[in-house]
Amino acid sequence: MDLSLTEEQQMLKSSARDFLNKECPWKVVKEIDESETGFSAELYRKIAELGWLGMIFPEAYGGMSSSLTDVGVLYEEMGQALLPGPHFTSSILCGSIILETGTSEQKQQLLPAIGQGEKILTLALTEPDYGWGPECIHLSATPKGGKFVLNGTKLFTHDAQIANQIICVARTRESKNPAAGISLFLVDKESPGLSCRSLTGFLGEKLNELTFNSVEVPAANMLGKKDNGWSALTKPLNRAIVVLCCYMVGGCQHLLDMTVEYAQRRVQFGQPIAAFQWVQSYIIGQANHLEKARWITYEALWKLDANKPQQEQDEAASLAKAVTSEAFHECGHLGHEVHAGIGVDKKYPLYLYSKKAKTLYSYLGDPYYHRKRVAQILEL
């Protein structure tokens, strides 16, 4: 197993960093974060023109057929810059679901548009009975002629305020096995009976509540087989989880670099605070969290690219998410210990990373959920 980057990946990393330094400085991130939609159409258009939104798609659908590791290299740079926007939700998460479950017609209709930035999708999964397992899916989809009628609520849906379509995880049949009887539906955002409300709080990106009040969806808008939606989500979620971990690794790296730079120039008692043992211990803690997050994430990328047995892929993705979620959160916490008062000043970028770390901590499953998943895989 060789986790070093190829020459092409190094070039991708370098070119992405140059672009993000120019187009996405932290003050731009701050402006987008404080805007009503949390979205910059201009910036999104630019990353679409670079081909970033279609990297994981086959060339037949206008993509690059890139490996997951290639995408991970890019997302680590995105995480350092804290690049905002629905690029992950639409391209990586929903794009992976469509690749796994969509018909040829659905793929041809959706993937090129997603890759070109013309269409934005999001995944509506979690509900008021909060959790990332199938037992928490209660939104109902009842057949009615050639349609399904959806009723229920989805919470903490990322990017729904700007999405054109929503992949909704719904229950089409009650069963003693929670994973059975779940189906996936592609729902137009403007469907009658569907309402979207933005949630407030210390959030790293816009989260929403979606209410489905007798929303009618054509049967042709089902993704994959009826009642088999949960098992169909396994591979796409694994892929998305590991790419999300790469983004968080990039965030950890930036937090470490930012904290080291501050400690070296902040003078107290006649010397830089980097000379103090307690400050050094905080920074070393950041470095430890970064390294374990980076290498467990790159090992997971390798296992998914190498198409290792499904159980190994499931375990690798969950271990990476548990470790990396905590690493990003702790790197932020330790950064605040070193920065002290300036760390909460909105004229300084640290708070943006803290917000993002708290939001991504739970996105696609918090560490508790993923440790529980690993225990189940190991039959503990």
Side-chain angles (χ1 to χ4, degrees), residues 82-135:
L82 222 60
L83 178 69
H87 47 82
F88 172 80
T89 305
S90 185
S91 172
I92 304 300
L93 179 56
C94 292
S96 294
I97 293 171
I98 293 165
L99 279 171
E100 181 69 22
T101 64
T103 63
S104 296
E105 182 179 354
Q106 288 170 332
K107 292 176 185 177
Q108 192 62 58
Q109 178 187 7
L110 295 168
L111 296 180
I114 292 172
Q116 293 164 16
E118 297 171 353
K119 185 170 288 189
I120 296 172
L121 271 68
T122 188
L123 174 67
L125 177 56
T126 52
E127 301 188 7
D129 181 13
Y130 182 75
W132 292 91
E135 68 279 1

Side-chain angles (χ1 to χ4, degrees), residues 77-198:
E77 291 302 315
M78 287 182 174
Q80 288 214 45
L82 222 60
L83 178 69
H87 47 82
F88 172 80
T89 305
S90 185
S91 172
I92 304 300
L93 179 56
C94 292
S96 294
I97 293 171
I98 293 165
L99 279 171
E100 181 69 22
T101 64
T103 63
S104 296
E105 182 179 354
Q106 288 170 332
K107 292 176 185 177
Q108 192 62 58
Q109 178 187 7
L110 295 168
L111 296 180
I114 292 172
Q116 293 164 16
E118 297 171 353
K119 185 170 288 189
I120 296 172
L121 271 68
T122 188
L123 174 67
L125 177 56
T126 52
E127 301 188 7
D129 181 13
Y130 182 75
W132 292 91
E135 68 279 1
C136 299
I137 304 299
H138 304 293
L139 185 145
S140 64
T142 307
K144 179 184 177 182
K147 301 178 180 180
F148 283 84
V149 181
L150 276 57
N151 283 286
T153 301
K154 294 292 184 179
L155 277 180
F156 309 115
T157 303
H158 292 237
D159 302 312
Q161 78 283 358
I162 53 172
N164 306 113
Q165 293 182 303
I166 298 156
I167 297 178
C168 182
V169 183
R171 186 163 294 282
T172 43
R173 176 171 61 85
E174 293 295 335
S175 173
K176 292 182 179 179
N177 176 10
I182 292 176
S183 304
L184 309 178
F185 295 91
L186 189 66
V187 184
D188 290 336
K189 172 74 175 302
E190 302 304 321
S191 298
L194 174 58
S195 62
C196 177
R197 179 176 70 89
S198 293

Side-chain angles (χ1 to χ4, degrees), residues 23 44 56 69 71 88 91-92 105 108-109 119 159 176 180 189 206 215 231 270 274 284 304 334 347-349 377:
E23 301 290 345
Y44 202 63
I56 65 168
T69 303
V71 177
F88 172 80
S91 172
I92 304 300
E105 182 179 354
Q108 192 62 58
Q109 178 187 7
K119 185 170 288 189
D159 302 312
K176 292 182 179 179
K189 172 74 175 302
K206 305 298 182 184
V215 176
S231 60
I284 291 168
L304 268 63
L334 293 168
K347 295 179 181 178
Y348 193 75
I377 292 169

Side-chain angles (χ1 to χ4, degrees), residues 266-273 276:
R266 175 72 167 93
V267 175
Q268 188 63 276
F269 304 111
Q271 59 184 324
I273 62 172
F276 301 145

Side-chain angles (χ1 to χ4, degrees), residues 193-251:
L194 174 58
S195 62
C196 177
R197 179 176 70 89
S198 293
L199 303 174
T200 59
F202 191 69
L203 305 172
E205 52 197 73
K206 305 298 182 184
L207 302 181
N208 304 272
E209 176 187 75
L210 294 172
T211 302
F212 294 75
N213 185 11
S214 297
V215 176
E216 295 188 353
V217 180
N221 280 28
M222 182 180 289
L223 292 169
K225 296 180 180 178
K226 182 175 178 291
D227 298 332
N228 195 44
W230 191 259
S231 60
L233 282 174
T234 300
K235 288 184 178 181
L237 284 180
N238 281 347
R239 292 168 64 84
I241 283 167
V242 178
V243 172
L244 184 63
C245 288
C246 293
Y247 187 96
M248 292 191 285
V249 167

Side-chain angles (χ1 to χ4, degrees), residues 30-40 206:
K30 183 176 186 291
E31 289 174 5
I32 296 172
D33 177 71
E34 294 174 353
S35 69
E36 184 177 351
T37 60
F39 176 65
S40 167
K206 305 298 182 184

